Amino acid sequence: MGTAKETKEIAEILNFLNKIGITTVEKELPKDTFLPGLALSSKGIEIDFGQLLYPGDILHEAGHLAVTPSFQRNLIGTNEMPEEWPTQGDEIAAMLWSFAASEHLNLPIDLVFHPNGYKNQSEWLIENYSSGNYIGLPLLEWMGLTTSETNEIKKDIAFPKMIKWLRD
């Protein structure tokens, strides 16, 4: 997929990430990254467009950066980052964050939640998110990124809209 960088969806994703303060770096990566063509580091999201199989995975990885406390982001990829990162809660929050980002960009939900990811649970996630069952929403609210429709004061910015895209 050497021309992956040229797709409209990837261009939209990279532009969005740049606007919200998530850096992407194009570089050659080893073949054994967790997601093909992607790695996280203290510099941001490293992308090897020659290996990238699923453009939506960029948003998922961005979700990990976004839900990580700001004081820890520069530790990603170093020995100083806690070994348990990302936690299961981080994973749930990153998935829901990537759903919100795909909605914000008007991308098809299956671009992010493709059949070859999410431990064969992508269809289940699509069904839940599409029906308004936002698994992990209390986490994103606790992180100060969004609010639920039950919040009378902030109904107009209820999830999947975001108050902000990066955790403090």
Side-chain angles (χ1 to χ4, degrees):
M1 228 187 219
T3 59
K5 188 176 183 182
E6 299 167 11
T7 68
K8 178 184 170 221
E9 290 87 1
I10 290 176
E12 288 176 21
I13 291 168
L14 297 179
N15 184 46
F16 167 71
L17 295 179
N18 183 52
K19 282 182 181 175
I20 66 169
I22 293 179
T23 303
T24 57
V25 178
E26 184 176 354
K27 70 180 278 187
E28 192 170 319
L29 294 170
K31 304 272 188 233
D32 63 349
T33 57
F34 184 74
L35 293 175
L38 293 168
L40 294 178
S41 75
S42 60
K43 295 179 179 96
I45 303 172
E46 298 173 342
I47 306 171
D48 184 335
F49 290 102
Q51 294 185 57
L52 181 67
L53 296 180
Y54 305 103
D57 286 347
I58 299 169
L59 280 181
H60 178 78
E61 292 302 279
H64 280 296
L65 293 174
V67 302
T68 298
S70 60
F71 74 91
Q72 284 188 319
R73 278 189 216 117
N74 65 340
L75 302 179
I76 294 172
T78 72
N79 292 334
E80 296 174 47
M81 191 64 172
E83 191 175 316
E84 64 275 2
W85 183 88
T87 65
Q88 288 297 317
D90 295 333
E91 188 65 41
I92 291 167
M95 287 189 289
L96 193 57
W97 185 96
S98 61
F99 168 74
S102 68
E103 288 287 297
H104 177 77
L105 295 171
N106 295 310
L107 296 172
I109 191 171
D110 60 354
L111 182 81
V112 175
F113 300 98
H114 55 83
N116 294 315
Y118 303 94
K119 300 178 182 175
N120 298 316
Q121 296 297 313
S122 59
E123 190 174 313
W124 180 81
L125 289 164
I126 289 170
E127 287 174 17
N128 276 279
Y129 294 159
S130 296
S131 67
N133 184 19
Y134 302 130
I135 302 149
L137 182 55
L139 285 170
L140 291 183
E141 287 183 281
W142 175 76
M143 293 173 181
L145 300 177
T146 191
T147 186
S148 68
E149 59 192 33
T150 59
N151 186 325
E152 290 297 321
I153 298 168
K154 298 180 179 177
K155 257 189 184 175
D156 59 328
I157 54 169
F159 190 83
K161 294 179 183 171
M162 300 292 277
I163 296 168
K164 60 185 177 181
W165 289 101
L166 298 176
R167 187 174 175 187
D168 292 333

